[in-house]
Amino acid sequence: MATNIVWHKHEVNKQTRSDKLGQKPRVIWLTGLSGSGKSTLANLLEKKLFEDGKLTYLLDGDNVRHGLCGDLGFSDKDRVENIRRISEVAKLFVDSGTIVLTAFISPFQTDRDFCRNLLQEKEFVEVYVDVPLAVCEQRDPKGLYKKARNGEIKDFTGIDSTYEAPVNPEVHLEYKDESAEATAERLFNLLNEKGLI
Ligand SMILES: Nc1ncnc2c1ncn2[C@@H]1O[C@H](COP(=O)(O)OS(=O)(=O)O)[C@@H](OP(=O)(O)O)[C@H]1O
Ligand SMILES: Nc1ncnc2c1ncn2[C@@H]1O[C@H](COP(=O)(O)OP(=O)(O)O)[C@@H](O)[C@H]1O
């Protein structure tokens, strides 16, 4: 723990940057099982926001685990640290005026709340990508469920590691048998209707 450190206030700050960009920075936090569609939907949503002239940044589980969180595995303790680091990074991006999208399983409510509590009111938008385990397992885009079922991977979310569904998310994106594009459109409309983007 560092001591004897002070916080510096800068004249160019979140407000001045947001004003310049003409947008309200925030974190759109997608949570759900592996294969629920977090990355696909975040990617489609980011494309739409970016095309609408917004400055965006997508933090994605697999990508972040190649760098910033490359030293972490999938024990509960490592997942907590993973989400803690990502939350702090997301906060810095919000401070830069950016609209951040995140695509992490983020299985624990307290960790999602940790990010919420780092930010100001309305800056954290929790989106529950609610897809039944059976559908995720059927999709199995990376073949990981198969490996988890035959014991090649331990601590796999939904199989032998806990997923806590959000208690009170801003958006509950319920499963429908439809294309990813249609679900992304539904998500965009829900966010819009609720004034969250
Ligand atoms: N044991 C285990 N459990 C869950 N997921 C696993 C595991 N091992 C590897 N993977 C791959 O890692 C991706 C999840 O990383 P996250 O950083 O999102 O996980 S977490 O939020 O820290 O729980 C996850 O990506 P998504 O499928 O995009 O969710 C998997 O591809
Ligand atoms: N309606 C849908 N929404 C999102 N993904 C879908 C949908 N229907 C099928 N898919 C497919 O499901 C898979 C979801 O994988 P991915 O986006 O990597 O999920 P996650 O990031 O949650 O692990 C992709 O192969 C995607 O094409």
Side-chain angles (χ1 to χ4, degrees), residues 41 44 173 176-189:
L41 297 171
L44 289 167
L173 190 62
K176 268 193 189 173
D177 187 5
E178 62 187 4
S179 69
E181 287 71 18
T183 307
E185 183 77 18
R186 202 151 53 84
L187 172 57
F188 181 80
N189 291 338

Side-chain angles (χ1 to χ4, degrees), residues 14 17-18 21 23-25 55 93-99:
K14 179 160 69 178
R17 285 186 284 262
S18 310
L21 290 165
Q23 64 183 38
K24 288 201 178 97
L55 180 66
F93 269 98
V94 167
D95 196 51
S96 79
T98 306
I99 296 174

Side-chain angles (χ1 to χ4, degrees), residues 2 9 23 37 39-40 64 67 76 78 83 99 101 106 111 116 119 127 130 132 139 148 151 164 172 175-177 180:
K9 272 199 162 183
Q23 64 183 38
S39 301
T40 305
V64 168
D76 286 2
D78 279 8
I83 300 306
I99 296 174
L101 299 100
S106 45
D111 300 328
R116 182 186 292 277
L119 298 165
V127 176
D130 184 3
R139 288 179 180 166
E164 296 171 359
H172 184 172
Y175 171 67
K176 268 193 189 173
D177 187 5

